[in-house]
Amino acid sequence: MQLNHRVAIAILALAVSINASAHAILTDSTPKPNGSVPAGHLALMLKYNSKIDQARSRLILIAPDKSETPLAITANTGKPNELDSAADLKPGAYTIRWQALALDGHITRGDLPFTVTAAP
């Protein structure tokens, strides 16, 4: 293999690597995916592998009756990789539909299903 081909392959591999790391990937959350939490006031946290534009990202709560409620995201400059919110929840099956805008302009989306159980 000629040197020019090796350099071209290395540049292509670097470009793919940089592009792949630009997307915000959900790395942790409260509640956990398919987890359960007791009813009541619940602090919601979605943590990503990169910084998030908190003002332009979205969280939508899908209730057991399939109704959708946009959730206010708490701006937190001390936690630039997180989307934080809160909600008062009754028992049932819920989903948080999230849309995260990474600071480089890439948008990722996903669903976080969870169950709310009766308070102890």
Side-chain angles (χ1 to χ4, degrees):
M1 184 180 292
Q2 294 184 354
L3 180 59
N4 287 345
H5 283 126
R6 290 182 185 168
V7 171
I9 290 172
I11 290 171
L12 180 61
L14 179 62
V16 169
S17 174
I18 289 170
N19 193 25
S21 67
H23 294 81
I25 297 171
L26 186 66
T27 60
D28 193 15
S29 66
T30 301
K32 302 291 185 200
N34 300 310
S36 62
V37 293
H41 187 75
L42 178 63
L44 306 167
M45 181 279 299
L46 286 80
K47 186 174 182 178
Y48 299 88
N49 68 333
S50 64
K51 292 181 182 178
I52 303 297
D53 183 337
Q54 296 169 335
R56 295 182 181 170
S57 295
R58 295 185 189 145
L59 297 176
I60 296 174
L61 180 69
I62 302 172
D65 65 359
K66 305 301 180 202
S67 62
E68 297 183 4
T69 304
L71 297 172
I73 295 173
T74 305
N76 189 339
T77 57
K79 297 179 180 177
N81 293 19
E82 289 186 14
L83 296 177
D84 297 322
S85 190
D88 294 312
L89 302 178
K90 298 177 182 177
Y94 291 83
T95 298
I96 297 173
R97 182 156 291 150
W98 56 267
Q99 176 177 304
L101 175 62
L103 292 183
D104 63 3
H106 288 106
I107 295 173
T108 52
R109 298 176 178 90
D111 286 347
L112 175 67
F114 65 99
T115 302
V116 175
T117 60

